[in-house]
Amino acid sequence: MSDLLALDLAGSAFERGRGQGVARDRAEQVRAATVGRVATARAEGLIDADARDYLAAQYAFHEAVDPDGLAEMVGIAAGFELDPQEMFAHLHLGTLRDLKGGGRLEDGCSSWAVGQGPDGPLVVKNRDFFGTHLGIQTVARHEGPDVATGAMLCLGSLGSPGAYSSGINARGFALADTQVAVRTHRVGWLRYFLMGRLLARCATVAQALDLIRAHPHAGGGTLVMADASGATAAVELGAAGPQVTQGPVVWRTNHYVSPALGADTLLPQGDVIAGNSGRRFAHLAATLPGQDWDGAAAQRLMATHDPAPICQHGADDGTMTIASAVYSCAAPGLLVCPQNPCSGDWRHHPLTG
């Protein structure tokens, strides 16, 4: 059984970040999963002068548009006695690899959202990763002066910003991401910071889309989201501008599908996640529309192995589903399985009470 740490974090963004340090017994694993990966990337030549210039421009951008997100990251670094600049580089490793022509998709995921059903609007995600975050996954409740929506509950990892995967706030707005390797990046919002600000500031999908459209994006990745009214959206966060799909049900895997961004997707040769992204997308497209989805049905879908590996076991390259999440917008909370969802090890985490 995989550990899933439950954290209750309150105070300023910096204080909530530093509060992760309560899990100091996991400090070495956090170091390996964050700055340790940066050290490896530097040894491989990934962080050269161009990369350093890009990271400096990105830091300046986030200082201007998201000081709270940076404060949280600096707090996390303080909590684990790590270099905050190295932590910032860690969050950009996928982007830096893309800028060098692409590499393995260690972070994959399948996500979808539905606007109505027996349990109301849902946001659902399988979190696919290379395994370095097993043992440091968290379900964290955040409350503080920058969280205008009251409180938020996030599935993430020690050493990373709160919404480093998915989350929901007290207003019933929920979101989840997927990774997409792309050919084009620019200076702009990094998804891992953007997600936290959306949960902290937005009560509805409409408000989230306004915030997303207000600034440029670094490029790469998607979001799916829903709110308590039943609105849903899928957003491809391209450097050329976000592409938005809305409807009763939306879904994304690990490639872009919009006409404007489809050709921007990088599909690394021999990469398992990239190789099965199309199959997973097609299975969701064939399965999701026209059905009434409740939490139990969502759990069953995310445990699917055939005809597409929605639930991945790492047989080929070690990439596996390390958690599965079902967020309820009607009664804000989370059903989470901290390992492969086919295990049946589901737990309920309400946002309040």
Side-chain angles (χ1 to χ4, degrees), residues 111-161:
S111 300
W112 54 276
V114 62
Q116 59 183 336
D119 293 336
L122 302 175
V123 170
V124 184
K125 170 174 174 169
N126 270 8
R127 189 184 190 197
D128 302 333
F129 208 74
F130 190 54
T132 55
H133 286 238
L134 286 170
I136 58 171
Q137 291 193 96
T138 63
V139 171
R141 185 183 186 278
H142 292 253
E143 186 173 4
D146 59 303
V147 184
T149 51
M152 55 190 188
L153 186 70
C154 303
L155 175 63
S157 298
L158 292 173
S160 299

Side-chain angles (χ1 to χ4, degrees), residues 42 44 56 93 123 136 157 190 225-226 234 254 269 309 321 330 334:
R42 184 173 285 109
E44 294 171 348
L93 285 180
V123 170
I136 58 171
S157 298
L190 186 70
M225 58 185 73
N254 305 115
Q269 292 294 317
T321 300
L334 167 64

Side-chain angles (χ1 to χ4, degrees), residues 231-257:
T232 70
V235 185
E236 297 178 356
L237 297 169
Q243 299 297 306
V244 178
T245 300
Q246 293 184 263
V249 58
V250 293
W251 59 92
R252 286 296 184 271
T253 54
N254 305 115
H255 62 287
Y256 286 155
V257 299

